[in-house]
């Protein structure tokens, strides 16, 4: 217990760092995922190609390699930002590919007649997608999107290897101070458990309210 009580501020700083990474990267992933899902189902061929390329490249690229590319590669092209911002970009872009596919699968569950009926009323593609298709698709994608964001929270641990303040990185300091590695990781694991259970509870509430009854 003394590992936690004597280093509570260190754990707290790491915990808040992980929460910030998770929140900001999740928002970026949801926005990019929505945009790319729209491209994937777009009637415009170039948009579909863009969405397909985005998903194919990011889903088949190791996240650690993407961190190296963003945090160490972008500064070489003159883009200098705090490492935390780079970490958010890497996590958000990587996760957006999985969010995109979850949304696309939800869109595919909506009967084609819904879109055809909307177009027969003179709605544009954007209007059909935003007012007819997505509201119905949203109900079926709550569980997979929640699971993807839980994975994002755990993937944020990679950022600690790139000088970004987050929960897993606290073990380095604790190890240097001579604390038990086992108990250090026990409290770190508890911190991640709190974050993932919070996300799970949030999406469980959303699913209970808006999810598709099975």
């Amino acid at each position: 217990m003394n590992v936690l009580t004597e280093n509570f501020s260190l754990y707290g700083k790491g915990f808040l760092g992980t929460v910030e990474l998770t929140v900001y990267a999740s928002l970026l992933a949801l926005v990019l995922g929505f945009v790319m899902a729209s491209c994937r189902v777009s009637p415009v061929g170039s948009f579909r190609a863009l969405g397909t390329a985005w998903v194919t490249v990011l889903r088949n690229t190791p996240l650690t390699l993407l961190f190296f590319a963003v945090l160490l590669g972008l500064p070489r092209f003159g883009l200098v930002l705090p490492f935390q911002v780079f970490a958010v970009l890497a996590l958000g872009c990587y996760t957006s590919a999985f969010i995109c596919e979850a949304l696309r699968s939800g869109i595919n569950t909506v009967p084609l007649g819904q879109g055809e009926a909307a177009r027969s009323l003179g709605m544009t593609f954007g209007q059909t997608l935003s007012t007819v298709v997505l509201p119905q698709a949203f109900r079926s994608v709550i569980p997979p999107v929640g699971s993807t964001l839980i994975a994002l929270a755990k993937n944020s641990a990679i950022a600690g290897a790139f000088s970004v303040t987050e929960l897993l990185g606290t073990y380095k300091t604790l190890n240097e101070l001579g604390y038990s590695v086992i108990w250090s990781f026990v409290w770190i694991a508890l911190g991640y458990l709190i974050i993932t259970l919070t996300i799970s509870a949030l999406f469980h509430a959303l699913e209970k309210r808006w999810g598709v009854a099975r």
Side-chain angles (χ1 to χ4, degrees):
M1 193 65 166
N2 65 312
V3 176
L4 177 64
T5 56
E6 294 175 8
N7 300 279
F8 191 78
S9 61
L10 178 64
Y11 273 113
K13 188 176 180 181
F15 181 83
L16 291 177
T18 296
V19 170
E20 288 181 359
L21 279 175
T22 301
V23 170
Y24 293 137
S26 295
L27 292 175
L28 178 62
L30 289 170
V31 171
L32 286 177
F34 168 76
V35 172
M36 290 303 158
S38 301
C39 289
R40 292 274 276 162
V41 298
S42 171
V44 181
S46 57
F47 286 168
R48 290 198 304 273
L50 172 63
T52 300
W54 181 272
V55 170
T56 301
V57 171
L58 290 177
R59 287 184 71 186
N60 293 285
T61 299
L63 181 55
T64 304
L65 178 60
L66 187 60
F67 264 88
F68 274 110
V70 173
L71 275 79
L72 303 180
L74 291 182
R76 293 178 177 271
F77 294 94
L79 184 58
V80 180
L81 294 170
F83 269 20
Q84 185 177 25
V85 176
F86 282 137
V88 168
L89 288 175
L91 277 171
C93 290
Y94 178 80
T95 309
S96 70
F98 297 90
I99 295 290
C100 169
E101 289 302 275
L103 291 176
R104 187 172 72 92
S105 67
I107 290 172
N108 289 337
T109 64
V110 179
L112 292 175
Q114 297 282 332
E116 294 172 355
R119 286 192 294 271
S120 69
L121 294 174
M123 289 186 177
T124 63
F125 171 75
Q127 291 173 329
T128 301
L129 191 65
S130 61
T131 61
V132 177
V133 177
L134 283 179
Q136 298 180 69
F138 168 75
R139 301 175 63 197
S140 64
V141 301
I142 295 174
V145 168
S147 297
T148 301
L149 296 186
I150 288 174
L152 183 153
K154 293 183 288 186
N155 287 338
S156 67
I158 297 176
F162 296 90
S163 302
V164 177
T165 301
E166 53 80 44
L167 189 56
L168 183 61
T170 59
Y171 91 90
K172 299 176 185 177
T173 303
L174 294 172
N175 187 45
E176 292 172 357
L177 294 174
Y179 287 98
S180 168
V181 174
I182 295 176
W183 282 106
S184 298
F185 280 114
V186 166
W187 294 116
I188 288 171
L190 181 61
Y192 279 106
L193 186 63
I194 292 171
I195 294 172
T196 55
L197 287 179
T198 300
I199 298 173
S200 179
L202 172 62
F203 277 85
H204 178 72
L206 291 174
E207 185 180 10
K208 189 174 180 180
R209 182 174 178 84
W210 288 300
V212 177
R214 300 185 186 278

